Short mmCIF file of all heavy atoms in Angstrom, two decimals:
data_model
loop_
_atom_site.label_atom_id
_atom_site.label_comp_id
_atom_site.label_asym_id
_atom_site.label_seq_id
_atom_site.Cartn_x
_atom_site.Cartn_y
_atom_site.Cartn_z
N LYS A 27 51.72 51.02 6.57
CA LYS A 27 52.20 50.14 5.50
C LYS A 27 53.44 49.40 5.85
O LYS A 27 53.92 48.59 5.06
CB LYS A 27 52.47 51.02 4.21
CG LYS A 27 51.26 51.70 3.61
CD LYS A 27 50.30 50.67 3.08
CE LYS A 27 49.10 51.38 2.36
NZ LYS A 27 48.17 50.41 1.75
N GLY A 28 53.95 49.64 7.02
CA GLY A 28 55.16 48.91 7.51
C GLY A 28 56.42 49.44 6.78
O GLY A 28 57.49 48.76 6.84
N PHE A 29 56.33 50.61 6.13
CA PHE A 29 57.50 51.12 5.35
C PHE A 29 58.69 51.42 6.26
O PHE A 29 59.83 51.04 6.05
CB PHE A 29 57.06 52.37 4.52
CG PHE A 29 58.18 52.99 3.76
CD1 PHE A 29 58.47 52.53 2.52
CD2 PHE A 29 58.83 54.04 4.26
CE1 PHE A 29 59.50 53.02 1.77
CE2 PHE A 29 59.88 54.64 3.54
CZ PHE A 29 60.20 54.11 2.24
N ILE A 30 58.35 52.17 7.40
CA ILE A 30 59.44 52.64 8.26
C ILE A 30 60.07 51.44 8.96
O ILE A 30 61.28 51.35 9.07
CB ILE A 30 58.81 53.61 9.32
CG1 ILE A 30 58.26 54.83 8.60
CG2 ILE A 30 59.86 53.96 10.37
CD1 ILE A 30 57.53 55.77 9.51
N GLU A 31 59.21 50.46 9.44
CA GLU A 31 59.76 49.29 10.05
C GLU A 31 60.68 48.49 9.12
O GLU A 31 61.68 47.94 9.49
CB GLU A 31 58.60 48.42 10.56
CG GLU A 31 59.03 47.11 11.22
CD GLU A 31 57.91 46.25 11.63
OE1 GLU A 31 56.69 46.70 11.38
OE2 GLU A 31 58.08 45.16 12.15
N ASN A 32 60.24 48.40 7.84
CA ASN A 32 60.96 47.67 6.82
C ASN A 32 62.34 48.33 6.59
O ASN A 32 63.36 47.66 6.45
CB ASN A 32 60.15 47.64 5.52
CG ASN A 32 60.54 46.49 4.65
OD1 ASN A 32 61.53 45.77 4.85
ND2 ASN A 32 59.71 46.15 3.67
N ILE A 33 62.37 49.64 6.49
CA ILE A 33 63.63 50.41 6.28
C ILE A 33 64.55 50.15 7.47
O ILE A 33 65.76 49.87 7.24
CB ILE A 33 63.35 51.85 6.07
CG1 ILE A 33 62.59 52.19 4.79
CG2 ILE A 33 64.66 52.67 6.12
CD1 ILE A 33 63.31 51.75 3.54
N VAL A 34 64.06 50.23 8.69
CA VAL A 34 64.87 50.05 9.88
C VAL A 34 65.45 48.64 9.86
O VAL A 34 66.61 48.38 10.16
CB VAL A 34 64.09 50.27 11.18
CG1 VAL A 34 64.89 49.90 12.40
CG2 VAL A 34 63.71 51.75 11.28
N ASN A 35 64.62 47.66 9.50
CA ASN A 35 64.99 46.22 9.49
C ASN A 35 66.14 46.03 8.46
O ASN A 35 66.97 45.16 8.62
CB ASN A 35 63.82 45.36 9.12
CG ASN A 35 64.08 43.89 9.36
OD1 ASN A 35 64.68 43.53 10.38
ND2 ASN A 35 63.67 43.07 8.46
N ARG A 36 66.05 46.74 7.29
CA ARG A 36 67.10 46.58 6.26
C ARG A 36 68.44 47.27 6.72
O ARG A 36 69.52 46.75 6.33
CB ARG A 36 66.64 47.18 4.98
CG ARG A 36 65.49 46.36 4.33
CD ARG A 36 64.88 47.14 3.20
NE ARG A 36 63.81 46.37 2.51
CZ ARG A 36 63.92 45.66 1.43
NH1 ARG A 36 65.08 45.57 0.84
NH2 ARG A 36 62.88 45.02 0.95
N ILE A 37 68.33 48.34 7.45
CA ILE A 37 69.52 49.11 7.80
C ILE A 37 70.30 48.38 8.92
O ILE A 37 71.56 48.45 8.92
CB ILE A 37 69.15 50.53 8.20
CG1 ILE A 37 68.63 51.33 7.05
CG2 ILE A 37 70.32 51.24 8.87
CD1 ILE A 37 68.07 52.70 7.41
N MET A 38 69.63 47.89 9.89
CA MET A 38 70.31 47.31 11.06
C MET A 38 71.11 46.08 10.64
O MET A 38 70.67 45.22 9.98
CB MET A 38 69.25 46.88 12.13
CG MET A 38 68.65 48.13 12.78
SD MET A 38 69.72 49.08 13.77
CE MET A 38 70.16 47.97 15.08
N PRO A 39 72.34 45.99 11.14
CA PRO A 39 73.18 44.80 10.91
C PRO A 39 72.75 43.64 11.74
O PRO A 39 72.03 43.83 12.79
CB PRO A 39 74.60 45.31 11.33
CG PRO A 39 74.35 46.39 12.31
CD PRO A 39 73.08 47.04 11.90
N LYS A 40 73.17 42.45 11.43
CA LYS A 40 72.80 41.22 12.18
C LYS A 40 73.43 41.26 13.56
O LYS A 40 72.92 40.77 14.56
CB LYS A 40 73.20 39.94 11.42
CG LYS A 40 72.36 39.78 10.15
CD LYS A 40 72.75 38.47 9.48
CE LYS A 40 71.88 38.21 8.27
NZ LYS A 40 72.28 36.95 7.57
N ARG A 41 74.67 41.75 13.63
CA ARG A 41 75.39 41.84 14.87
C ARG A 41 76.01 43.20 15.07
O ARG A 41 76.62 43.72 14.17
CB ARG A 41 76.51 40.70 14.95
CG ARG A 41 77.17 40.54 16.28
CD ARG A 41 78.02 39.30 16.30
NE ARG A 41 78.71 39.10 17.51
CZ ARG A 41 78.15 38.53 18.63
NH1 ARG A 41 76.89 38.10 18.53
NH2 ARG A 41 78.85 38.36 19.72
N ILE A 42 75.85 43.72 16.24
CA ILE A 42 76.37 45.12 16.55
C ILE A 42 76.79 45.22 17.98
O ILE A 42 76.23 44.59 18.89
CB ILE A 42 75.24 46.11 16.17
CG1 ILE A 42 75.79 47.52 16.28
CG2 ILE A 42 74.09 45.91 17.07
CD1 ILE A 42 74.78 48.56 15.78
N SER A 43 77.78 46.05 18.19
CA SER A 43 78.26 46.26 19.62
C SER A 43 77.25 47.16 20.29
O SER A 43 76.57 48.00 19.72
CB SER A 43 79.59 46.86 19.60
OG SER A 43 79.60 48.19 19.08
N GLU A 44 77.21 47.05 21.69
CA GLU A 44 76.27 47.85 22.46
C GLU A 44 76.65 49.36 22.32
O GLU A 44 75.73 50.23 22.25
CB GLU A 44 76.32 47.42 23.92
CG GLU A 44 75.79 46.07 24.18
CD GLU A 44 75.93 45.59 25.60
OE1 GLU A 44 76.85 46.13 26.29
OE2 GLU A 44 75.14 44.72 26.04
N ARG A 45 77.91 49.65 22.21
CA ARG A 45 78.35 51.05 22.13
C ARG A 45 77.95 51.62 20.79
O ARG A 45 77.43 52.79 20.71
CB ARG A 45 79.87 51.13 22.40
CG ARG A 45 80.44 52.54 22.32
CD ARG A 45 81.81 52.62 22.82
NE ARG A 45 81.96 52.21 24.23
CZ ARG A 45 83.05 52.09 24.92
NH1 ARG A 45 84.22 52.40 24.31
NH2 ARG A 45 83.02 51.76 26.18
N LYS A 46 78.21 50.87 19.74
CA LYS A 46 77.85 51.35 18.39
C LYS A 46 76.34 51.54 18.24
O LYS A 46 75.86 52.53 17.61
CB LYS A 46 78.37 50.36 17.33
CG LYS A 46 78.17 50.81 15.92
CD LYS A 46 78.79 49.84 14.96
CE LYS A 46 78.61 50.34 13.49
NZ LYS A 46 79.21 49.38 12.50
N LEU A 47 75.54 50.64 18.86
CA LEU A 47 74.14 50.72 18.81
C LEU A 47 73.68 52.01 19.49
O LEU A 47 72.69 52.69 19.05
CB LEU A 47 73.41 49.48 19.46
CG LEU A 47 71.95 49.50 19.52
CD1 LEU A 47 71.33 49.48 18.10
CD2 LEU A 47 71.41 48.42 20.34
N MET A 48 74.28 52.41 20.59
CA MET A 48 73.94 53.62 21.31
C MET A 48 74.06 54.88 20.40
O MET A 48 73.11 55.63 20.37
CB MET A 48 74.90 53.79 22.52
CG MET A 48 74.56 55.02 23.38
SD MET A 48 73.04 54.77 24.37
CE MET A 48 73.61 53.59 25.64
N PHE A 49 75.14 54.94 19.65
CA PHE A 49 75.26 56.07 18.72
C PHE A 49 74.31 56.00 17.52
O PHE A 49 73.73 57.00 17.12
CB PHE A 49 76.74 56.12 18.22
CG PHE A 49 77.74 56.59 19.20
CD1 PHE A 49 78.41 55.70 20.03
CD2 PHE A 49 77.95 57.99 19.34
CE1 PHE A 49 79.37 56.19 20.96
CE2 PHE A 49 78.84 58.47 20.34
CZ PHE A 49 79.55 57.56 21.11
N LEU A 50 74.02 54.76 17.08
CA LEU A 50 73.17 54.57 15.94
C LEU A 50 71.78 54.92 16.33
O LEU A 50 71.03 55.60 15.53
CB LEU A 50 73.24 53.10 15.50
CG LEU A 50 72.59 52.80 14.14
CD1 LEU A 50 73.22 53.59 12.99
CD2 LEU A 50 72.65 51.27 13.86
N VAL A 51 71.31 54.55 17.53
CA VAL A 51 69.98 54.84 17.98
C VAL A 51 69.84 56.36 18.14
O VAL A 51 68.82 56.98 17.83
CB VAL A 51 69.69 54.14 19.30
CG1 VAL A 51 68.43 54.72 19.94
CG2 VAL A 51 69.50 52.68 19.05
N GLY A 52 70.92 57.02 18.67
CA GLY A 52 70.86 58.45 18.87
C GLY A 52 70.71 59.24 17.52
O GLY A 52 69.94 60.15 17.48
N VAL A 53 71.51 58.76 16.53
CA VAL A 53 71.41 59.42 15.25
C VAL A 53 70.04 59.24 14.61
O VAL A 53 69.44 60.17 14.14
CB VAL A 53 72.54 58.90 14.32
CG1 VAL A 53 72.33 59.41 12.88
CG2 VAL A 53 73.89 59.27 14.83
N PHE A 54 69.53 57.97 14.68
CA PHE A 54 68.20 57.69 14.05
C PHE A 54 67.07 58.52 14.72
O PHE A 54 66.31 59.12 14.04
CB PHE A 54 67.92 56.18 14.19
CG PHE A 54 66.51 55.84 13.74
CD1 PHE A 54 66.29 55.75 12.38
CD2 PHE A 54 65.50 55.62 14.66
CE1 PHE A 54 64.93 55.41 11.97
CE2 PHE A 54 64.22 55.34 14.25
CZ PHE A 54 63.92 55.17 12.90
N ALA A 55 67.07 58.52 16.09
CA ALA A 55 65.99 59.26 16.81
C ALA A 55 66.17 60.76 16.49
O ALA A 55 65.12 61.46 16.33
CB ALA A 55 66.11 58.98 18.26
#
């Protein structure tokens, strides 16, 4: 239904640092 993709799309900011993304991806996974 695209629910998970939609949630991820809403959570992610438009601009993010590479280091912050590393921690964010780790927490999400």
